[in-house]
Amino acid sequence: MNLGMVQQVIEQHAMSVATVVEDQLDEQLHRLENLDEDDLERIRQSRIDQLKRQKVKKEKWLANGHGEVQDLLDEKAFFKSMKGEERMICHFYRNNSACKVMDKHMTELAAKHLETKFVRIDAEKSPYLTEKLTIWMLPTLCLVMNEKVIDYIVGLDDVGGSDDFKQEHLCMVLGAHGVINYADPTAAAAKPQSGPVRNVRHGGVRCTELNSDDETSDFSDTA
């Protein structure tokens, strides 16, 4: 098949796709134009129900401490905090400049993403937990989904590599792991990736299988 024929096939395919899309739009417009009062009422009621569900969710999130970064005092508080949570991000920190920058972003994101609980814990005051989770660099963000640690963001390399990294980069990484609701504005133009999201933790370290049930076994001897 020569180049001219290939071009013709491509043009025919493009025209065919455009025709299908146009037909679908015409069908949708036709349905909208022919909605009766009952249809409009059902749509209105559906929207009201949706808003009510969103309000109930928001009230529950706020009651559980969402909307701000909560300080955790110890390991027990970490396990207690993740119980019943669909999504949680825990910042392991110490008193250094990089952790202060991450704290600033966590505070801003907590206010924007009520769907996720944001907490932080002083790594130096929680040696047991930092050892169990193999926390070896600070800051580290521990990503939790449905009461299980799924991954980590270690240091700043994956969000820009310096203290002045853009919050957008951090959102992209957190969104890719599903711990916040984030729509990448460039996703529509980008080619979709195949396969699972890349593990953020480097060096071949396997993500720790840890969940809130560990509180009972790991701290049963603690008063």
Side-chain angles (χ1 to χ4, degrees):
M1 185 179 292
N2 59 39
L3 185 60
M5 292 180 65
V6 171
Q7 183 66 29
Q8 185 178 3
V9 170
I10 292 174
E11 290 176 355
Q12 290 175 347
H13 178 69
M15 287 293 295
S16 176
V17 171
T19 300
V20 170
V21 172
E22 186 176 354
D23 290 343
Q24 290 174 344
L25 289 174
D26 288 342
E27 183 181 350
Q28 291 176 9
L29 286 171
H30 178 73
R31 287 201 302 267
L32 289 173
E33 290 171 353
N34 290 275
L35 290 174
D36 58 25
E37 291 186 5
D38 290 340
D39 293 327
L40 292 173
E41 180 59 28
R42 279 194 294 269
I43 293 174
R44 176 179 172 277
Q45 190 58 50
S46 176
R47 179 57 177 160
I48 291 174
D49 292 342
Q50 181 185 19
L51 291 173
K52 286 181 177 179
R53 289 193 296 269
Q54 290 176 349
K55 182 182 178 182
V56 170
K57 271 188 175 182
K58 182 178 179 180
E59 290 173 349
K60 180 181 178 182
W61 288 333
L62 291 174
N64 288 339
H66 294 219
E68 60 185 6
V69 180
Q70 292 188 330
D71 279 297
L72 305 181
L73 298 178
D74 53 27
E75 293 88 350
K76 280 189 173 181
F78 174 83
F79 293 112
K80 182 179 180 180
S81 185
M82 73 159 65
K83 280 189 174 180
E85 292 294 337
E86 181 181 352
R87 292 178 276 202
M88 187 178 87
I89 299 171
C90 182
H91 175 203
F92 284 82
Y93 74 96
R94 62 177 299 180
N95 186 23
N96 63 26
S97 60
C99 290
K100 289 178 180 178
V101 170
M102 186 62 78
D103 257 340
K104 174 179 175 292
H105 288 293
M106 290 292 97
T107 299
E108 293 176 1
L109 290 178
K112 296 176 183 177
H113 294 276
L114 296 182
E115 73 276 5
T116 303
K117 175 179 277 191
F118 287 78
V119 299
R120 69 174 196 160
I121 189 166
D122 188 332
E124 294 179 335
K125 295 180 180 179
S126 305
Y128 172 83
L129 190 58
T130 55
E131 180 180 354
K132 188 172 182 68
L133 295 177
T134 323
I135 304 295
W136 58 276
M137 180 183 291
L138 300 174
T140 285
L141 300 185
C142 175
L143 312 182
V144 178
M145 290 279 286
N146 297 313
E147 304 185 18
K148 291 192 176 185
V149 176
I150 60 165
D151 216 332
Y152 306 84
I153 298 176
V154 180
L156 303 180
D157 285 349
D158 288 281
V159 294
S162 63
D163 288 0
D164 61 350
F165 69 87
K166 293 182 179 180
Q167 191 174 107
E168 192 75 9
H169 294 164
L170 177 58
C171 288
M172 289 175 66
V173 177
L174 296 175
H177 283 78
V179 289
I180 64 170
N181 291 334
Y182 176 73
D184 182 0
T186 65
K191 182 178 180 181
Q193 294 182 344
S194 59
V197 178
R198 181 178 64 84
N199 191 304
V200 178
R201 173 171 276 180
H202 297 297
V205 179
R206 186 167 58 86
C207 179
T208 305
E209 289 294 334
L210 185 69
N211 57 46
S212 61
D213 291 337
D214 287 343
E215 180 187 4
T216 302
S217 59
D218 295 331
F219 295 102
S220 57
D221 296 331
T222 305

